[in-house]
Amino acid sequence: MTRFGYTLMTEQSGPKDLVSYAVSAEQVGFDFEVSSDHYFPWLAAQGHAPYAWSVLGAVAHATDRVELMTYVTCPTMRYHPAIVAQKAATLQLLADGRFTLGLGSGENLNEHVVGKGWPTVARRHAMLREAIQIIRELHSGDMVDWKGEYFEVDSARLWDVPEVPVPIAAAVSGDRSVEQFALLADHLIAVEPDKDLVDSWHDARRATGLPGEVRVIGQLPICWDTDRDAAIDRAHDQFRWFAGGWAVNSDLPTTAGFDGATQFVRKDDVADSIPCGPDLDAIVDAVREYWEAGFTDIALIQVGGDSQEAFLKEAAAPLLDKLRSASH
């Protein structure tokens, strides 16, 4: 059965609001909740970027049922992997085993703030591979010493290790990243409904005797509103960065850069790529591409911090009913 999630979009809401939305999303029936982990919003119009791990700790305490996940954390630049290992273990304890650590190779927008420069894609992937290995070692609870190509760990041990191991999901985008991470991670994260990518992930795991049918976790933006024109305006104002694609987005360093790179994106372009307005069936059709491509978990981003309460109160429950009915 396909599971549907709600995105705690740290770029468009403050921390207290995010916790409130998380509680409401659980009550309305979402299966899981994912949180972005940014130092900057993509566009200044979004207006927020609280610390995701503090928010998730509060959400773990305030909720009971929904699974939680970072979507995604970069454990290589802004955070050392030993620190990510500790944060993830602690959050798993707070969440009583409901947490999955979603990891990716990062975006310049967030990682540049510590002044270490911005590596090439190949080097970022190599760093992520090493980081995952370190996190796995530390989650064993043993003392760890590590001297690798990119990281060092000196006599580190996690003293609070959850009984339920922290699953790791890795964000991939092509055959090369599938080859590098299918055997290291437990689950797949992808941002496009690419069936070939999903099949390649499963095949790579089966070829080495690992379980092939694991979670495939996707995400897509929607902009529900009773007024379609208002929804399009909001999506254009706050989410037109999405039009650049991840190959471009990962390299831009500032909100001003995203603003400049998307200045010629039209409202019609946004409306063509993001379902906008009150039509729930149009949202279902957009989400359908993901489960047809083999995604097991699909998280929705409701665009606009000011629209969350209305979405959760008026649209979320009937939308979930339609999604579950259509995906059976």
Side-chain angles (χ1 to χ4, degrees):
M1 181 180 294
T2 309
R3 305 191 320 150
F4 299 100
Y6 174 78
T7 299
L8 300 168
M9 202 71 177
T10 59
E11 298 79 20
Q12 63 183 19
S13 298
K16 287 189 175 181
D17 284 338
L18 288 165
V19 176
S20 176
Y21 302 151
V23 172
S24 296
E26 179 179 65
Q27 292 172 344
V28 83
F30 281 98
D31 300 305
F32 67 100
E33 299 178 6
V34 305
S35 174
S36 53
D37 183 1
H38 271 212
Y39 203 91
F40 274 77
W42 288 282
L43 294 169
Q46 292 177 304
H48 294 275
Y51 186 52
W53 290 87
S54 298
V55 172
L56 281 168
V59 169
H61 185 70
T63 57
D64 299 306
R65 175 189 55 80
V66 287
E67 294 187 19
L68 304 175
M69 180 178 180
T70 48
Y71 200 102
V72 294
T73 284
C74 175
T76 62
M77 303 286 290
R78 195 168 28 125
Y79 308 135
H80 190 283
I83 304 304
V84 175
Q86 184 188 35
K87 293 191 291 190
T90 299
L91 190 50
Q92 184 72 307
L93 289 165
L94 289 170
D96 295 320
R98 292 181 284 138
F99 177 63
T100 295
L101 177 61
L103 298 175
S105 58
E107 297 176 62
N108 195 5
L109 179 69
N110 309 300
E111 309 310 318
H112 80 271
V113 298
V114 293
K116 294 181 180 180
W118 187 233
T120 63
V121 173
R123 181 160 294 186
R124 297 201 304 268
H125 283 172
M127 294 172 74
L128 180 57
R129 280 181 56 85
E130 191 172 315
I132 292 174
Q133 292 173 295
I134 292 169
I135 292 167
R136 293 282 200 202
E137 293 273 351
L138 285 165
H139 281 177
S140 70
D142 296 333
M143 188 73 74
V144 174
D145 285 281
W146 180 283
K147 186 174 179 62
E149 185 176 355
Y150 300 102
F151 303 106
E152 292 188 25
V153 178
D154 185 2
S155 302
R157 175 189 169 187
L158 297 185
W159 289 87
D160 292 277
V161 178
E163 291 184 8
V164 178
V166 179
I168 292 177
V172 303
S173 57
D175 290 340
R176 179 177 295 181
S177 52
V178 167
E179 292 173 4
Q180 293 189 69
F181 298 110
L183 307 186
L184 280 179
D186 301 300
H187 307 296
L188 166 65
I189 293 171
V191 296
E192 295 181 353
D194 186 340
K195 188 177 187 304
D196 290 339
L197 184 74
V198 174
D199 290 343
S200 294
W201 179 274
H202 293 326
D203 290 344
R205 291 179 62 84
R206 291 194 196 99
T208 59
L210 290 170
E213 300 301 327
V214 297
R215 292 170 64 190
V216 179
I217 306 151
Q219 184 187 59
L220 78 161
I222 65 172
C223 195
W224 176 86
D225 197 291
T226 56
D227 183 331
R228 185 170 186 271
D229 289 338
I232 293 172
D233 288 345
R234 185 169 69 244
H236 182 264
D237 180 52
Q238 297 191 25
F239 232 78
R240 67 183 182 275
W241 63 269
F242 201 77
W246 289 109
V248 173
N249 293 347
S250 64
D251 284 333
L252 293 175
T254 63
T255 53
F258 275 91
D259 188 59
T262 59
Q263 62 181 311
F264 298 115
V265 176
R266 303 169 302 172
K267 290 183 181 180
D268 288 346
D269 298 325
V270 173
D272 286 342
S273 60
I274 298 174
C276 295
D279 187 352
L280 299 184
D281 291 329
I283 297 174
V284 172
D285 287 341
V287 179
R288 186 188 309 276
E289 296 182 35
Y290 284 81
W291 73 65
E292 289 182 346
F295 284 72
T296 61
D297 298 66
I298 306 163
L300 305 179
I301 303 170
Q302 165 64 10
V303 175
D306 293 342
S307 72
Q308 301 303 306
E309 288 185 3
F311 169 73
L312 290 165
K313 182 178 180 180
E314 301 175 34
L319 176 57
L320 284 170
D321 286 344
K322 284 179 173 288
L323 288 167
R324 288 174 177 140
S325 177
S327 63
H328 282 170

